Amino acid sequence: GESVGLHLPTLSVQEGDNSIINCAYSNSASDYFIWYKQESGKGPQFIIDIRSNMDKRQGQRVTVLLNKTVKHLSLQIAATQPGDSAVYFCAENSGAGGYNKLIFGAGTRLAVHP
Amino acid sequence: DTAVSQTPKYLVTQMGNDKSIKCEQNLGHDTMYWYKQDSKKFLKIMFSYNNKELIINETVPNRFSPKSPDKAHLNLHINSLELGDSAVYFCASSQIYGESTIYFGEGSWLTVV
């Protein structure tokens, strides 16, 4: 069946360090992946996405890597800041007929310490 | 300007009651969704509507009835509330087809006592 999961439920980092959040997915047919950030008391916020025809995509301080061979996705945050503290979700779009249907992973809590 | 707005933000109600959560998006999107987030932060899709038409129904109990009066609104009505319905419900919207960003509202915290 479809599933998207995360290896680490909690990640603690020092401010200024780089953070890496990992995600495994099981549906090899998924062709679009998204990372969301959810701050306490708020809704998930889009961070970055990647299509299956790419293996790397960069944004501002964030990079997503996709390894289709092992069905693994990662989010790298450079120079982590206190404002990055949140729960991060990976999601795969598995909608049939072209419609969106996001399957979310369990989430990783990122705690940034000064 | 809030892109996806939902009300109420907090709702505490007794078992057996009927309640509604309203959602509106001003992004001009064709598709709207309801997601449920449980106490362990797990997010799961419930419904998806495209231009007022139901696309996805993830075997949600029929006590849950979404209604879309127009493509900018998707309301969620819940009958005979149960303790297990306590969760955060997120409304979201996107363009019609895949590989487009899904934007979420701020959530509605439902507590059934």
Side-chain angles (χ1 to χ4, degrees), chain A residues 100-102, chain B residues 33-35 43-48 56 58:
Chain A
N100 283 311
K101 178 182 172 183
L102 286 185
Chain B
Y33 314 81
W34 279 107
Y35 278 79
L43 267 163
K44 185 169 168 39
I45 189 168
M46 300 173 68
F47 299 104
S48 170
I56 296 172
E58 286 292 297

Side-chain angles (χ1 to χ4, degrees), chain A residues 18-109:
Chain A
N18 296 333
S19 302
I20 300 176
I21 301 173
N22 296 302
C23 177
Y25 64 94
S26 62
N27 186 354
S28 57
S30 292
D31 59 4
Y32 179 56
F33 305 87
I34 312 101
W35 280 99
Y36 280 89
K37 172 187 180 183
Q38 186 177 22
E39 296 176 275
S40 180
K42 295 188 176 181
Q45 180 183 9
F46 172 88
I47 302 173
I48 192 167
D49 59 4
I50 189 166
R51 290 165 175 72
S52 59
N53 61 352
M54 304 169 69
D55 53 21
K56 181 179 179 178
R57 190 170 188 210
Q58 288 184 295
Q60 188 176 13
R61 283 200 307 117
V62 294
T63 300
V64 55
L65 298 178
L66 174 63
N67 186 331
K68 294 182 288 294
T69 302
V70 295
K71 290 184 285 188
H72 184 268
L73 195 67
S74 69
L75 176 70
Q76 300 178 1
I77 304 173
T80 313
Q81 302 169 359
D84 295 326
S85 294
V87 177
Y88 289 80
F89 295 94
C90 65
E92 60 180 314
N93 196 346
S94 65
Y99 292 115
N100 283 311
K101 178 182 172 183
L102 286 185
I103 305 295
F104 281 83
T108 292
R109 185 176 300 279

Side-chain angles (χ1 to χ4, degrees), chain A residues 38 87 89 106 109, chain B residues 36-44 83-90 109-111:
Chain A
Q38 186 177 22
V87 177
F89 295 94
R109 185 176 300 279
Chain B
K36 179 180 180 180
Q37 187 171 46
D38 63 23
S39 59
K40 297 181 180 178
K41 294 284 190 181
F42 192 73
L43 267 163
K44 185 169 168 39
L83 293 176
D85 296 332
S86 296
V88 185
Y89 293 85
F90 287 99
W109 270 252
L110 173 65
T111 302

